[in-house]
């Protein structure tokens, strides 16, 4: 549903206001982005409440317009930490993230991950490793998990989990 109003013709591909250039991102987000080997333009980052979106290039000003989704949901800022989203995991390539656990399809942990269970990955990581890991199967990303004490806490979306 849309309400259209006749008025001045707007330039196509109008950028976000210049005030968005070089905006300061929260430290937790900057720290997480340091693990990604992809350039993100900070002027295209949009913080809405706790959610962080990466907006499309050339998006016109959307002030006053309500919408369901306009960009890539990067994740959420919660209590001085950043939690990456499932959408970001699906958007990344294995080579673009520096903390990856790549499981072969035959590994029983793949099904455990898809069911939302915590995984024991002590054979794949060093004892002192911790933080967000991109979980891949044969090089294809499935989602994120948080590594603590060689146990991977599953962050796979509950609505996507295997039920059987």
């Amino acid at each position: 549903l849309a309400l259209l109003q006749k008025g001045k013709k707007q330039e196509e591909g109008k950028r976000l206001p210049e005030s968005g250039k070089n905006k300061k991102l929260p430290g937790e987000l900057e720290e997480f982005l340091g693990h990604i080997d992809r350039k993100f333009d900070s002027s295209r980052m949009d913080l809405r409440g706790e959610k962080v979106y990466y907006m499309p290039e050339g998006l016109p000003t959307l002030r006053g317009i309500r919408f369901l989704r306009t960009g890539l949901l990067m994740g959420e800022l919660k209590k001085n930490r950043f939690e990456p989203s499932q959408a970001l995991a699906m958007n990344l390539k294995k080579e673009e993230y520096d903390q990856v656990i790549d499981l072969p399809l035959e590994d029983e942990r793949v099904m455990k991950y898809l069911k939302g269970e915590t995984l024991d990955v002590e054979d794949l990581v060093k004892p002192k490793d911790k933080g967000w890991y991109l979980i891949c199967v044969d090089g294809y990303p499935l989602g994120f998990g948080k590594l603590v004490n060689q146990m991977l806490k599953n962050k796979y979306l509950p609505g996507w989990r295997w039920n059987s």
Side-chain angles (χ1 to χ4, degrees):
L1 183 66
L3 173 65
L4 303 176
Q5 186 174 357
K6 192 172 183 178
K8 291 188 286 184
K9 187 175 180 182
Q10 188 175 359
E11 293 177 32
E12 281 194 41
K14 187 177 177 189
R15 294 176 112 30
L16 292 171
E18 290 300 314
S19 62
K21 296 282 182 200
N22 300 321
K23 66 172 108 171
K24 183 75 174 135
L25 298 176
E28 308 85 36
L29 177 57
E30 282 187 352
E31 181 182 330
F32 178 80
L33 292 176
H35 294 282
I36 301 175
D37 186 22
R38 185 192 291 177
K39 189 78 170 155
F40 287 101
D41 181 359
S42 65
S43 69
R44 291 174 51 195
M45 293 283 181
D46 189 19
L47 281 76
R48 296 224 164 106
E50 294 180 341
K51 296 182 188 296
V52 180
Y53 294 91
Y54 191 63
M55 307 304 270
E57 190 171 6
L59 187 69
T61 303
L62 298 173
R63 216 169 244 127
I65 298 175
R66 292 180 58 199
F67 48 86
L68 184 61
R69 185 178 312 139
T70 60
L72 172 63
L73 175 61
M74 302 287 286
E76 294 184 47
L77 295 164
K78 295 183 176 181
K79 299 179 186 172
N80 298 324
R81 69 182 191 278
F82 177 75
E83 291 190 6
S85 72
Q86 182 72 35
L88 178 60
M90 303 305 290
N91 188 267
L92 289 173
K93 294 180 181 139
K94 175 185 169 186
E95 304 79 34
E96 291 179 321
Y97 197 72
D98 68 355
Q99 293 180 215
V100 175
I101 294 177
D102 192 9
L103 301 169
L105 183 60
E106 303 79 33
D107 194 318
E108 66 184 34
R109 291 176 284 196
V110 172
M111 281 307 290
K112 286 184 176 185
Y113 182 80
L114 292 172
K115 289 179 178 181
E117 298 175 18
T118 299
L119 305 180
D120 182 4
V121 291
E122 67 182 53
D123 59 322
L124 302 173
V125 296
K126 297 177 186 144
K128 296 195 181 208
D129 286 351
K130 62 181 180 177
W132 290 103
Y133 276 74
L134 182 64
I135 310 306
C136 297
V137 174
D138 291 335
Y140 294 98
L142 284 181
F144 282 104
K146 183 133 189 198
L147 185 67
V148 178
N149 298 328
Q150 296 180 316
M151 294 298 286
L152 190 82
K153 295 186 180 185
N154 197 323
K155 298 298 178 181
Y156 196 59
L157 280 178
W160 289 17
R161 292 182 181 170
W162 192 282
N163 295 321
S164 66

